Amino acid sequence: MTTDEYFMTLAIQEAQKAERMGEVPIGAIITKNGEVIARAHNLRETLQQPTAHAEHLAIERAAKVIGSWRLEACTLYVTLEPCVMCAGAIVMSRIPRVVYGADDPKGGCSGSLMNLLQYNDFNHRAIVEKGILQDNCSQLLTNFFKQLRHNKKSTK
Ligand SMILES: [Zn+2]
């Protein structure tokens, strides 16, 4: 297992925590110099907060730990491709490297719909590695939505 795969398994564990709470299973980890400094999972339903995405919460926590809004020398691991808001937060926090699992063809702004992380005119661009443990990451989401549809059917 590579280092990236190892940290992605931790992000997947975060996603599983979200799933147990009935949240869409997405998890994120931020490392600095090879150590985990923040972990978070999606809490949008629990908090009824549109910004409570896993990466966004992890960025807030990491900034608190470091004591700076600049997340230099950090790597963000997230199970699903960052959306427009989270890609924006990554640029604003200067995270130099982003590793994600599954593509999000409907909302991903880190390569799928657009690529805000590598947009030339911004003063910050991140290195992006995608497809790390992709099958595990997308399976979590597929199973979650399958279960959701199943539950809806059985309550009708
Ligand atoms: Zn997001």
Side-chain angles (χ1 to χ4, degrees):
M1 185 180 277
T2 65
T3 309
D4 281 347
E5 285 170 348
Y6 170 71
F7 286 124
M8 189 59 82
T9 62
L10 300 185
I12 289 171
Q13 285 171 15
E14 284 299 309
Q16 288 164 337
K17 285 184 200 169
E19 185 173 33
R20 286 196 288 274
M21 299 172 71
E23 296 275 359
V24 177
I26 302 166
I29 293 283
I30 294 178
T31 65
K32 185 170 183 179
N33 302 323
E35 272 180 54
V36 177
I37 60 163
R39 46 182 91 211
H41 52 83
N42 176 30
L43 284 173
R44 192 170 58 176
E45 297 296 331
T46 305
L47 300 178
Q48 285 299 310
Q49 184 55 257
T51 56
H53 290 189
E55 318 86 298
H56 204 268
L57 294 170
I59 287 170
E60 288 179 346
R61 287 172 192 173
K64 211 169 264 179
V65 168
I66 296 177
S68 167
W69 61 268
R70 288 175 194 273
L71 302 187
E72 285 163 355
C74 290
T75 299
L76 171 80
Y77 294 85
V78 58
T79 54
L80 182 68
E81 179 181 356
C83 73
V84 62
M85 171 185 73
C86 293
I90 290 162
V91 172
M92 290 304 145
S93 55
R94 311 282 191 266
I95 294 175
R97 187 162 176 270
V98 173
V99 180
Y100 75 80
D103 284 326
D104 182 4
K106 288 182 187 158
C109 289
S110 309
S112 288
L113 296 183
M114 54 181 96
N115 192 348
L116 294 177
L117 299 183
Q118 297 176 327
Y119 186 72
N120 265 333
D121 293 341
F122 283 145
N123 63 355
H124 177 78
R125 282 170 293 282
I127 296 165
V128 180
E129 319 268 359
K130 59 180 204 162
I132 308 298
L133 301 185
Q134 179 168 11
D135 290 345
N136 307 51
C137 294
S138 58
Q139 200 61 50
L140 267 172
L141 289 161
T142 312
N143 290 346
F144 177 81
F145 287 112
K146 202 185 276 173
Q147 191 63 42
L148 206 64
R149 281 192 298 272
H150 176 81
N151 293 349
K152 265 186 193 155
K153 253 182 220 158
S154 55
T155 53
K156 261 180 197 164

